[in-house]
Amino acid sequence: MEERSGGSDASRPRGRRPGPSTTRESILEAARQRFALDGFRGATVRAIATDAGVDPALVIQSFGSKDKLFGAVLSISFETLSEIADAFSGPAEGIGERVARTYLTIWQNEPSDAEALRAMLRSAIDNNQANAQLREFIESRVTEDVDRSARDEDAAAVRISLAASMLVGVTIGREILSVSFLADERTDTIVAMLAPALQEVLAPASHRL
Amino acid sequence: MEERSGGSDASRPRGRRPGPSTTRESILEAARQRFALDGFRGATVRAIATDAGVDPALVIQSFGSKDKLFGAVLSISFETLSEIADAFSGPAEGIGERVARTYLTIWQNEPSDAEALRAMLRSAIDNNQANAQLREFIESRVTEDVDRSARDEDAAAVRISLAASMLVGVTIGREILSVSFLADERTDTIVAMLAPALQEVLAPASHRL
């Protein structure tokens, strides 16, 4: 008969774990400092790797990309960043509904990501350094999305930025100001109202004629 | 031959001017404190008048309404508040274009109102007291707009709040984060992209079938 594990958890040493997670933490800490010092655009994976005392390949292996590393610094999960990117980069048909539902569902179902997004937004509005980091991150993401899909070249970056801004506004109304008409409403209702609006911005009917 | 007024301006006493503007300033100061203490909803014109030592009728005569008084406390002009209200309360046809153009034009042409709106937004995101004041102000304005137009009753308050949130988001992207794709674009281009989206939110095509 096995002994029950009972109170033995309490005797485990707390604090930093040894091994791979220490490397991960060193990279995160170096990235946090580099992004703050050089901005999102200026901070290179090479400089972050040097500061952390590791090979640049290990940074990419651990975090996937500079975008994902920035997400990790902000405590936004890899999955959440990928879901948002995928919603924007899919086919034009249904893009409004897809983007609205993906974004609002994260706010509803992923409280830790929602908290990180809220903190990012507050500090970006309040603090010039965080503001520049977020601006450069958005510009870089938008440029990447435009390269991926590429129809309607000139205006596409403006349209993606406009849609992203509208979503940020909905978050401010619903989650930060908590305007009752938005905060008390079911996510499905907001998605249904928002989807045709985002569709008009991201894939306007006039372009489909 | 009249003497030129030359340097005589410099000899005018500075500071508080006597007469009506002192009453106006007393009302404004009382309102600023009441709104902070009791919130937008809780602060009554009667309480503000009592604090300022004037008759409630004089408060209304001087500022028009509690909404306008709140605008004055925030240094947003009477004209700007009226323009925004009128854009939302007109006919369904063209409401998206009208609201988008009115709002973005204020940001472009009225730098002092834009500065006041920016300050209001920053403090509402940053500070719980300012947050509650702005939330209550928006809820009160939305309720008034719904009473005025009244088609599509239940959803109308949600739709107006959603449109207002989207506009706030555009401001964050364009004026606060200054995302280049939005900040460098002409207002007309942004209005053209935003108008059909606001139209879908405020007067959806599906309701017009």
Side-chain angles (χ1 to χ4, degrees):
Chain A
M1 199 174 152
E2 280 183 16
E3 222 188 303
R4 293 186 58 200
S5 59
S8 69
D9 276 356
S11 61
R12 276 199 205 143
R14 302 270 163 172
R16 270 198 171 202
R17 281 176 296 165
S21 71
T22 302
T23 304
R24 213 182 140 81
E25 281 160 21
S26 307
I27 296 171
L28 271 178
E29 187 48 40
R32 187 173 289 114
Q33 290 179 17
R34 272 288 144 204
F35 285 134
L37 218 61
D38 301 341
F40 175 78
R41 219 172 354 230
T44 62
V45 168
R46 178 166 299 277
I48 291 166
T50 303
D51 292 353
V54 302
D55 192 87
L58 185 61
V59 174
I60 296 302
Q61 191 190 311
S62 305
F63 291 94
S65 67
K66 192 165 90 168
D67 280 12
K68 301 269 164 70
L69 178 55
F70 187 65
V73 164
L74 299 171
S75 311
I76 299 170
S77 72
F78 186 95
E79 290 73 21
T80 290
L81 282 177
S82 301
E83 275 175 36
I84 296 176
D86 290 351
F88 273 98
S89 62
E93 196 183 334
I95 191 171
E97 156 93 21
R98 203 165 63 238
V99 165
R101 186 170 300 283
T102 302
Y103 181 80
L104 292 180
T105 303
I106 288 167
W107 279 91
Q108 185 183 288
N109 293 350
E110 304 292 342
S112 74
D113 287 329
E115 195 41 62
L117 288 164
R118 192 184 281 114
M120 174 183 75
L121 207 53
R122 273 184 206 271
S123 66
I125 286 169
D126 197 43
N127 157 330
N128 284 333
Q129 197 183 61
N131 181 308
Q133 284 183 59
L134 183 60
R135 175 176 60 246
E136 292 175 6
F137 176 66
I138 293 172
E139 288 171 358
S140 145
R141 284 243 36 104
V142 167
T143 307
E144 198 179 308
D145 282 344
V146 171
D147 288 344
R148 263 195 238 165
S149 60
R151 64 197 137 73
D152 192 8
E153 299 117 30
D154 270 4
V158 182
R159 293 189 172 280
I160 293 172
S161 306
L162 199 56
S165 297
M166 285 161 51
L167 289 172
V168 164
V170 174
T171 297
I172 301 223
R174 199 168 190 225
E175 310 280 344
I176 295 180
L177 293 181
S178 302
V179 172
S180 61
F181 306 117
L182 299 177
D184 299 348
E185 202 57 63
R186 289 173 55 236
T187 296
D188 277 350
T189 308
I190 305 286
V191 168
M193 289 179 178
L194 198 55
L198 288 172
Q199 187 72 30
E200 280 297 327
V201 169
L202 290 166
S206 57
H207 289 214
R208 295 194 298 268
L209 290 180
Chain B
M1 197 177 153
E2 281 184 12
E3 223 187 303
R4 293 186 58 202
S5 58
S8 67
D9 275 356
S11 61
R12 275 199 204 142
R14 303 265 163 175
R16 270 197 169 202
R17 282 175 296 166
S21 71
T22 303
T23 304
R24 216 182 137 80
E25 281 160 21
S26 308
I27 296 172
L28 271 179
E29 188 48 39
R32 187 172 289 115
Q33 290 180 16
R34 273 287 146 206
F35 285 134
L37 217 61
D38 301 340
F40 175 77
R41 218 172 355 228
T44 63
V45 167
R46 178 165 299 276
I48 291 166
T50 304
D51 292 352
V54 302
D55 192 88
L58 186 61
V59 174
I60 296 302
Q61 191 188 310
S62 305
F63 291 94
S65 67
K66 192 165 89 168
D67 280 11
K68 300 270 163 69
L69 178 56
F70 187 64
V73 164
L74 300 170
S75 310
I76 300 170
S77 72
F78 186 96
E79 289 74 19
T80 290
L81 282 177
S82 301
E83 275 175 37
I84 295 176
D86 290 351
F88 272 97
S89 63
E93 197 183 334
I95 191 171
E97 156 94 21
R98 203 165 64 237
V99 165
R101 186 170 299 284
T102 302
Y103 181 79
L104 293 180
T105 303
I106 288 166
W107 279 90
Q108 184 181 288
N109 293 350
E110 305 291 343
S112 73
D113 286 330
E115 195 42 61
L117 287 165
R118 192 183 280 114
M120 174 183 74
L121 207 52
R122 274 184 204 271
S123 66
I125 285 169
D126 198 43
N127 158 329
N128 284 332
Q129 196 182 63
N131 181 307
Q133 281 182 62
L134 183 59
R135 175 176 61 247
E136 291 175 6
F137 175 65
I138 293 173
E139 289 171 357
S140 146
R141 284 244 35 103
V142 167
T143 306
E144 197 178 309
D145 282 345
V146 171
D147 288 343
R148 262 195 239 163
S149 59
R151 54 191 148 78
D152 192 8
E153 300 116 30
D154 271 4
V158 182
R159 294 190 170 280
I160 293 172
S161 306
L162 198 56
S165 296
M166 286 161 52
L167 289 171
V168 164
V170 174
T171 297
I172 301 224
R174 198 168 191 225
E175 310 280 344
I176 294 181
L177 294 180
S178 302
V179 171
S180 61
F181 306 116
L182 299 176
D184 299 348
E185 202 56 65
R186 290 173 54 235
T187 296
D188 277 351
T189 309
I190 305 285
V191 168
M193 289 179 178
L194 197 55
L198 288 172
Q199 187 73 30
E200 279 298 326
V201 170
L202 290 167
S206 59
H207 290 214
R208 295 194 299 270
L209 291 179

